[in-house]
Protein backbone atom coordinates (compact mmCIF):
# COMPACT_ATOMS: atom_id res chain seq x y z
CA UNK A 1 0.00 0.00 0.00
CA UNK A 2 1.48 3.32 -1.10
CA UNK A 3 2.00 5.83 1.70
CA UNK A 4 2.72 9.56 1.64
CA UNK A 5 4.80 10.99 4.48
CA UNK A 6 4.52 14.43 6.05
CA UNK A 7 7.07 15.40 8.65
CA UNK A 8 8.20 18.20 10.90
CA UNK A 9 10.31 18.37 14.07
CA UNK A 10 7.61 16.75 16.25
CA UNK A 11 5.33 14.62 14.08
CA UNK A 12 5.69 12.05 11.32
CA UNK A 13 2.36 11.62 9.53
CA UNK A 14 1.49 8.92 7.00
CA UNK A 15 -1.44 9.04 4.55
CA UNK A 16 -2.35 6.06 2.38
CA UNK A 17 -3.28 6.39 -1.28
CA UNK A 18 -5.95 3.82 -0.46
CA UNK A 19 -8.90 5.81 0.85
CA UNK A 20 -6.63 8.89 1.28
CA UNK A 21 -6.69 7.63 4.87
CA UNK A 22 -4.68 9.18 7.66
CA UNK A 23 -2.88 6.02 8.79
CA UNK A 24 -0.20 7.02 11.29
CA UNK A 25 0.75 9.97 13.44
CA UNK A 26 4.00 9.25 15.22
CA UNK A 27 4.90 11.63 18.03
CA UNK A 28 8.68 11.97 17.92
CA UNK A 29 8.94 13.81 21.21
CA UNK A 30 6.87 11.26 23.14
CA UNK A 31 8.07 8.36 20.99
CA UNK A 32 4.58 6.96 20.59
CA UNK A 33 1.90 6.36 17.94
CA UNK A 34 -1.15 8.58 18.32
CA UNK A 35 -3.54 6.81 15.92
CA UNK A 36 -5.22 3.43 16.32
CA UNK A 37 -3.25 0.65 14.63
CA UNK A 38 -6.24 -0.84 12.72
CA UNK A 39 -5.96 -4.21 14.47
CA UNK A 40 -8.38 -6.31 12.36
CA UNK A 41 -9.43 -8.33 15.41
CA UNK A 42 -10.96 -5.14 16.88
CA UNK A 43 -11.50 -2.54 14.13
CA UNK A 44 -9.56 -2.60 10.87
CA UNK A 45 -9.35 1.13 10.10
CA UNK A 46 -7.43 4.19 11.28
CA UNK A 47 -9.32 7.29 10.12
CA UNK A 48 -11.53 6.55 7.10
CA UNK A 49 -13.17 9.30 5.04
CA UNK A 50 -16.94 8.86 4.88
CA UNK A 51 -18.22 9.82 1.41
CA UNK A 52 -20.67 10.19 -0.28
CA UNK A 53 -22.68 8.88 2.68
CA UNK A 54 -22.16 8.98 6.43
CA UNK A 55 -23.68 5.90 8.04
CA UNK A 56 -26.22 3.57 6.45
CA UNK A 57 -29.33 4.06 4.33
CA UNK A 58 -32.43 2.05 5.16
CA UNK A 59 -32.69 -1.15 3.20
CA UNK A 60 -29.45 -0.32 1.41
CA UNK A 61 -31.51 1.94 -0.88
CA UNK A 62 -31.76 5.72 -1.27
CA UNK A 63 -33.83 7.88 -3.60
CA UNK A 64 -33.09 10.78 -5.95
CA UNK A 65 -36.26 12.38 -7.26
CA UNK A 66 -38.08 9.14 -6.54
CA UNK A 67 -35.59 6.93 -8.41
CA UNK A 68 -33.92 4.27 -6.27
CA UNK A 69 -30.21 3.54 -6.07
CA UNK A 70 -28.45 0.86 -4.06
CA UNK A 71 -25.91 1.71 -1.37
CA UNK A 72 -25.39 -1.51 0.55
CA UNK A 73 -22.18 -0.45 2.29
CA UNK A 74 -22.00 1.75 5.38
CA UNK A 75 -20.32 5.16 5.00
CA UNK A 76 -20.34 5.18 1.20
CA UNK A 77 -17.42 3.87 -0.85
CA UNK A 78 -14.54 6.39 -0.80
CA UNK A 79 -12.82 4.72 2.16
CA UNK A 80 -12.33 1.57 0.05
CA UNK A 81 -11.10 3.21 -3.15
CA UNK A 82 -7.69 4.08 -4.49
CA UNK A 83 -7.11 7.84 -4.65
CA UNK A 84 -4.70 9.59 -6.98
CA UNK A 85 -1.97 11.63 -5.32
CA UNK A 86 -2.00 14.91 -7.25
CA UNK A 87 0.33 17.03 -5.12
CA UNK A 88 2.93 16.12 -2.53
CA UNK A 89 5.37 18.18 -0.47
CA UNK A 90 7.24 17.80 2.80
CA UNK A 91 4.35 19.03 4.94
CA UNK A 92 1.30 18.71 2.63
CA UNK A 93 -0.30 16.13 0.36
CA UNK A 94 -3.44 16.21 -1.80
CA UNK A 95 -5.36 13.19 -3.08
CA UNK A 96 -8.17 13.09 -5.65
CA UNK A 97 -11.04 10.68 -6.22
CA UNK A 98 -13.13 10.61 -9.42
CA UNK A 99 -16.11 8.46 -10.41
CA UNK A 100 -15.72 5.06 -12.03
CA UNK A 101 -18.23 3.09 -14.04
CA UNK A 102 -18.89 1.01 -10.93
CA UNK A 103 -19.47 3.99 -8.63
CA UNK A 104 -21.77 5.66 -11.19
CA UNK A 105 -24.14 2.73 -10.79
CA UNK A 106 -24.23 3.38 -7.02
CA UNK A 107 -24.00 7.18 -7.03
CA UNK A 108 -24.87 8.86 -10.35
CA UNK A 109 -23.20 12.22 -9.79
CA UNK A 110 -20.07 13.54 -11.52
CA UNK A 111 -18.15 14.26 -8.34
CA UNK A 112 -14.54 15.15 -7.70
CA UNK A 113 -13.26 14.76 -4.14
CA UNK A 114 -10.01 16.46 -3.15
CA UNK A 115 -8.45 15.57 0.22
CA UNK A 116 -5.55 17.59 1.61
CA UNK A 117 -3.60 16.78 4.76
CA UNK A 118 -1.27 19.57 5.86
CA UNK A 119 0.94 20.17 8.88
CA UNK A 120 0.55 23.66 10.32
CA UNK A 121 3.35 26.10 9.59
CA UNK A 122 3.38 27.56 13.10
CA UNK A 123 2.10 24.82 15.43
CA UNK A 124 4.08 21.62 14.79
CA UNK A 125 1.44 19.55 16.63
CA UNK A 126 -1.48 20.67 14.45
CA UNK A 127 -2.74 18.81 11.37
CA UNK A 128 -5.21 20.34 8.90
CA UNK A 129 -7.65 18.06 7.06
CA UNK A 130 -9.29 19.84 4.13
CA UNK A 131 -11.98 18.41 1.85
CA UNK A 132 -13.26 19.91 -1.39
CA UNK A 133 -16.24 18.39 -3.20
CA UNK A 134 -16.68 19.46 -6.81
CA UNK A 135 -19.78 18.94 -8.92
CA UNK A 136 -18.63 18.41 -12.49
CA UNK A 137 -22.11 17.47 -13.68
CA UNK A 138 -25.14 19.40 -14.86
CA UNK A 139 -27.51 18.72 -11.92
CA UNK A 140 -27.50 19.64 -8.25
CA UNK A 141 -25.41 17.06 -6.37
CA UNK A 142 -26.27 15.77 -2.90
CA UNK A 143 -23.77 14.13 -0.57
CA UNK A 144 -22.63 13.61 2.98
CA UNK A 145 -19.04 13.70 4.17
CA UNK A 146 -17.39 12.99 7.49
CA UNK A 147 -14.32 11.86 9.37
CA UNK A 148 -13.83 8.82 11.58
CA UNK A 149 -10.37 9.24 13.19
CA UNK A 150 -9.55 6.80 15.98
CA UNK A 151 -7.11 8.12 18.56
CA UNK A 152 -5.08 5.71 20.63
CA UNK A 153 -5.37 6.26 24.37
CA UNK A 154 -2.21 5.16 26.25
CA UNK A 155 -3.73 2.51 28.51
CA UNK A 156 -2.91 -1.16 29.03
CA UNK A 157 -6.51 -2.32 29.41
CA UNK A 158 -9.55 -1.01 27.55
CA UNK A 159 -11.41 -0.33 30.80
CA UNK A 160 -8.68 2.12 31.82
CA UNK A 161 -10.07 4.55 29.24
CA UNK A 162 -12.59 5.43 31.94
CA UNK A 163 -9.78 7.39 33.63
CA UNK A 164 -9.81 9.76 30.65
CA UNK A 165 -12.21 12.59 29.86
CA UNK A 166 -14.07 14.06 26.97
CA UNK A 167 -14.00 17.84 26.96
CA UNK A 168 -16.32 20.23 25.18
CA UNK A 169 -14.70 23.61 25.91
CA UNK A 170 -17.11 26.26 27.11
CA UNK A 171 -20.11 23.94 27.39
CA UNK A 172 -22.01 22.85 30.50
CA UNK A 173 -24.64 20.57 28.97
CA UNK A 174 -25.29 18.89 25.63
CA UNK A 175 -27.95 16.56 24.30
CA UNK A 176 -27.33 13.55 22.10
CA UNK A 177 -29.16 10.76 20.34
CA UNK A 178 -27.98 7.30 19.37
CA UNK A 179 -28.82 4.41 17.07
CA UNK A 180 -31.32 1.62 17.34
CA UNK A 181 -29.10 -1.36 18.27
CA UNK A 182 -31.40 -3.67 16.31
CA UNK A 183 -30.69 -2.04 12.95
CA UNK A 184 -28.09 0.72 13.27
CA UNK A 185 -30.39 3.58 12.28
CA UNK A 186 -30.84 6.75 14.29
CA UNK A 187 -33.44 6.67 17.04
CA UNK A 188 -34.71 10.24 17.30
CA UNK A 189 -37.39 9.32 19.85
CA UNK A 190 -34.84 9.01 22.67
CA UNK A 191 -32.77 12.08 23.55
CA UNK A 192 -30.18 11.99 26.29
CA UNK A 193 -28.62 14.74 28.37
CA UNK A 194 -24.86 14.90 28.76
CA UNK A 195 -23.99 16.78 31.95
CA UNK A 196 -20.60 18.46 31.89
CA UNK A 197 -18.51 19.93 34.65
CA UNK A 198 -16.51 22.87 33.33
CA UNK A 199 -16.81 21.19 29.94
CA UNK A 200 -15.59 17.77 31.09
CA UNK A 201 -17.22 14.35 31.35
CA UNK A 202 -15.50 11.05 32.14
CA UNK A 203 -15.29 8.47 29.36
CA UNK A 204 -18.25 6.18 29.99
CA UNK A 205 -19.72 2.88 28.84
CA UNK A 206 -22.40 4.58 26.73
CA UNK A 207 -19.71 5.43 24.20
CA UNK A 208 -19.82 1.83 23.04
CA UNK A 209 -22.87 2.99 21.14
CA UNK A 210 -22.52 5.99 18.87
CA UNK A 211 -23.23 9.36 20.48
CA UNK A 212 -24.69 11.71 17.87
CA UNK A 213 -24.76 15.45 18.48
CA UNK A 214 -27.13 17.03 15.95
CA UNK A 215 -26.77 20.79 15.40
CA UNK A 216 -25.25 21.45 18.85
CA UNK A 217 -22.83 24.12 17.54
CA UNK A 218 -19.85 22.25 18.98
CA UNK A 219 -16.69 24.15 18.13
CA UNK A 220 -14.12 21.78 19.60
CA UNK A 221 -14.07 18.35 21.20
CA UNK A 222 -11.15 16.93 23.10
CA UNK A 223 -9.83 13.77 24.69
CA UNK A 224 -8.27 14.87 27.97
CA UNK A 225 -5.81 13.05 30.20
CA UNK A 226 -6.78 11.82 33.69
CA UNK A 227 -5.48 15.13 35.08
CA UNK A 228 -7.72 16.96 32.54
CA UNK A 229 -4.82 18.28 30.48
CA UNK A 230 -5.37 18.11 26.69
CA UNK A 231 -4.47 14.91 24.84
CA UNK A 232 -6.09 15.33 21.39
CA UNK A 233 -8.30 18.20 20.18
CA UNK A 234 -10.49 18.20 17.07
CA UNK A 235 -11.76 21.56 15.83
CA UNK A 236 -15.08 20.65 14.22
CA UNK A 237 -16.54 24.15 14.05
CA UNK A 238 -17.42 23.91 10.34
CA UNK A 239 -19.50 20.76 10.82
CA UNK A 240 -23.18 20.62 11.82
CA UNK A 241 -22.88 17.21 13.49
CA UNK A 242 -20.46 15.29 15.67
CA UNK A 243 -20.23 11.59 16.38
CA UNK A 244 -18.27 9.94 19.20
CA UNK A 245 -17.69 6.19 19.26
CA UNK A 246 -15.54 3.51 20.80
CA UNK A 247 -15.60 -0.26 21.05
CA UNK A 248 -15.61 -2.23 24.28
CA UNK A 249 -12.22 -3.61 23.30
CA UNK A 250 -9.36 -1.59 21.84
CA UNK A 251 -7.63 1.40 23.39
CA UNK A 252 -9.06 4.07 21.09
CA UNK A 253 -11.75 6.75 21.00
CA UNK A 254 -13.19 8.18 17.77
CA UNK A 255 -14.02 11.89 17.46
CA UNK A 256 -15.96 12.26 14.21
CA UNK A 257 -16.89 15.55 12.48
CA UNK A 258 -19.88 14.95 10.20
CA UNK A 259 -21.79 16.82 7.52
CA UNK A 260 -24.63 14.31 7.22
CA UNK A 261 -25.40 11.05 8.99
CA UNK A 262 -27.26 7.73 8.88
CA UNK A 263 -30.97 7.65 8.15
CA UNK A 264 -33.48 8.16 10.90
CA UNK A 265 -35.15 4.87 11.76
CA UNK A 266 -38.11 4.58 9.40
CA UNK A 267 -36.97 7.26 6.93
CA UNK A 268 -38.45 6.89 3.42
CA UNK A 269 -37.74 10.29 1.84
CA UNK A 270 -35.51 11.48 -0.98
CA UNK A 271 -31.78 12.14 -0.59
CA UNK A 272 -32.34 15.89 -0.21
CA UNK A 273 -34.52 15.23 2.86
CA UNK A 274 -31.81 13.40 4.81
CA UNK A 275 -30.58 15.08 7.99
CA UNK A 276 -27.76 17.58 7.30
CA UNK A 277 -27.49 16.46 3.68
CA UNK A 278 -25.11 18.69 1.71
CA UNK A 279 -25.61 19.96 -1.81
CA UNK A 280 -23.47 21.67 -4.41
CA UNK A 281 -24.75 23.28 -7.59
CA UNK A 282 -23.63 22.18 -11.05
CA UNK A 283 -20.15 23.44 -11.90
CA UNK A 284 -19.50 24.55 -8.30
CA UNK A 285 -17.54 23.21 -5.35
CA UNK A 286 -17.86 23.12 -1.57
CA UNK A 287 -15.05 23.11 0.99
CA UNK A 288 -15.08 21.94 4.58
CA UNK A 289 -12.18 21.44 7.00
CA UNK A 290 -11.23 20.33 10.47
CA UNK A 291 -8.00 20.30 12.44
CA UNK A 292 -6.47 17.78 14.80
CA UNK A 293 -4.03 18.85 17.49
CA UNK A 294 -1.87 16.18 19.10
CA UNK A 295 -0.89 17.72 22.43
Amino acid sequence: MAMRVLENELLKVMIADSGAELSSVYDKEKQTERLWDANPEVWNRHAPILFPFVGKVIGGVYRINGQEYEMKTQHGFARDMEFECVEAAETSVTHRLLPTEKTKQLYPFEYELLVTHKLDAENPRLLHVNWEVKNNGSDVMYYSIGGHPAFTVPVKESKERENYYLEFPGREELTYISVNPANGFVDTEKEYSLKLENGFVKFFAGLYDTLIFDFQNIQKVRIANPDQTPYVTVDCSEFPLLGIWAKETGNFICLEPWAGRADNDGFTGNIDEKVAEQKVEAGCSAKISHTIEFH
Side-chain angles (χ1 to χ4, degrees), residues 271-289:
I271 190 171
D272 59 311
E273 299 172 295
K274 286 167 59 65
V275 173
E277 190 70 7
Q278 306 297 296
K279 73 175 183 178
V280 59
E281 300 291 336
C284 297
S285 66
K287 297 180 180 180
I288 194 166
S289 304

Side-chain angles (χ1 to χ4, degrees), residues 112-172:
E112 181 177 348
L113 174 61
L114 293 168
V115 176
T116 299
H117 292 86
K118 182 178 182 180
L119 287 166
D120 191 82
E122 297 181 359
N123 180 352
R125 291 194 165 277
L126 187 66
L127 178 69
H128 297 261
V129 184
N130 304 323
W131 298 325
E132 182 176 5
V133 179
K134 295 183 178 181
N135 180 0
N136 295 328
S138 56
D139 299 315
V140 176
M141 185 173 79
Y142 295 94
Y143 67 96
S144 299
I145 193 167
H148 201 317
F151 303 108
T152 297
V153 181
V155 296
K156 293 181 179 179
E157 301 291 337
S158 297
K159 187 173 176 57
E160 293 177 11
R161 284 176 295 182
E162 296 178 15
N163 294 324
Y164 282 74
Y165 290 85
L166 296 174
E167 183 187 0
F168 301 84
R171 307 301 290 268
E172 292 300 325

Side-chain angles (χ1 to χ4, degrees), residues 2 7 14 32 81-82 89 94 116 124 130 138 147 149 162 166 168 181 193 211 213 221 224 228 248 251 264 289:
E7 195 162 4
M14 301 182 72
T32 188
M81 295 188 68
E82 196 74 10
T94 298
T116 299
N130 304 323
S138 56
E162 296 178 15
L166 296 174
F168 301 84
S193 177
L211 274 60
F213 300 88
V221 60
Q228 297 190 341
E248 289 193 43
N251 60 330
N264 289 340
S289 304

Side-chain angles (χ1 to χ4, degrees), residues 17-261:
D17 287 353
S18 178
E21 184 176 7
L22 178 63
S23 300
S24 172
V25 178
Y26 184 75
D27 189 323
K28 298 179 183 179
E29 183 179 39
K30 299 182 179 181
Q31 298 184 353
T32 188
E33 176 62 48
R34 304 296 297 270
L35 275 190
W36 170 242
D37 64 6
N39 178 352
E41 294 183 3
V42 181
W43 188 57
N44 64 343
R45 301 183 189 270
H46 307 278
I49 296 169
L50 318 180
F51 177 87
F53 289 88
V54 175
K56 299 193 295 183
V57 296
I58 289 179
V61 173
Y62 69 99
R63 287 155 291 280
I64 302 173
N65 297 325
Q67 183 175 346
E68 293 189 345
Y69 294 86
E70 287 193 349
M71 183 59 61
K72 299 296 186 184
T73 57
Q74 180 170 250
H75 298 318
F77 49 71
R79 62 183 185 167
D80 296 315
M81 295 188 68
E82 196 74 10
F83 282 64
E84 176 191 7
C85 180
V86 294
E87 187 175 337
E90 184 177 4
T91 59
S92 177
V93 64
T94 298
H95 286 88
R96 178 172 62 192
L97 184 67
L98 296 172
T100 66
E101 290 306 312
K102 183 177 180 180
T103 65
K104 287 178 182 179
Q105 296 176 19
L106 304 172
Y107 183 69
F109 298 110
E110 290 291 338
Y111 68 86
E112 181 177 348
L113 174 61
L114 293 168
V115 176
T116 299
H117 292 86
K118 182 178 182 180
L119 287 166
D120 191 82
E122 297 181 359
N123 180 352
R125 291 194 165 277
L126 187 66
L127 178 69
H128 297 261
V129 184
N130 304 323
W131 298 325
E132 182 176 5
V133 179
K134 295 183 178 181
N135 180 0
N136 295 328
S138 56
D139 299 315
V140 176
M141 185 173 79
Y142 295 94
Y143 67 96
S144 299
I145 193 167
H148 201 317
F151 303 108
T152 297
V153 181
V155 296
K156 293 181 179 179
E157 301 291 337
S158 297
K159 187 173 176 57
E160 293 177 11
R161 284 176 295 182
E162 296 178 15
N163 294 324
Y164 282 74
Y165 290 85
L166 296 174
E167 183 187 0
F168 301 84
R171 307 301 290 268
E172 292 300 325
E173 185 175 2
L174 293 165
T175 59
Y176 67 92
I177 52 180
S178 192
V179 297
N180 183 338
N183 56 27
F185 298 110
V186 179
D187 183 356
T188 57
E189 298 298 316
K190 297 178 181 178
E191 187 175 83
Y192 305 90
S193 177
L194 187 66
K195 299 290 186 181
L196 306 171
E197 187 173 339
N198 296 320
F200 291 91
V201 63
K202 273 279 190 80
F203 178 95
F204 58 101
L207 286 164
Y208 303 141
D209 291 321
T210 306
L211 274 60
I212 300 169
F213 300 88
D214 276 1
F215 307 105
Q216 298 281 296
N217 193 30
I218 296 170
Q219 302 296 297
K220 292 183 179 182
V221 60
R222 179 177 294 139
I223 301 170
N225 292 302
D227 63 0
Q228 297 190 341
T229 56
Y231 178 66
V232 172
T233 300
V234 174
D235 184 319
C236 52
S237 55
E238 296 186 15
F239 290 78
L241 312 178
L242 173 70
I244 299 181
W245 175 76
K247 295 196 72 171
E248 289 193 43
T249 57
N251 60 330
F252 67 87
I253 301 172
C254 294
L255 306 178
E256 308 178 33
W258 293 345
R261 63 160 170 77

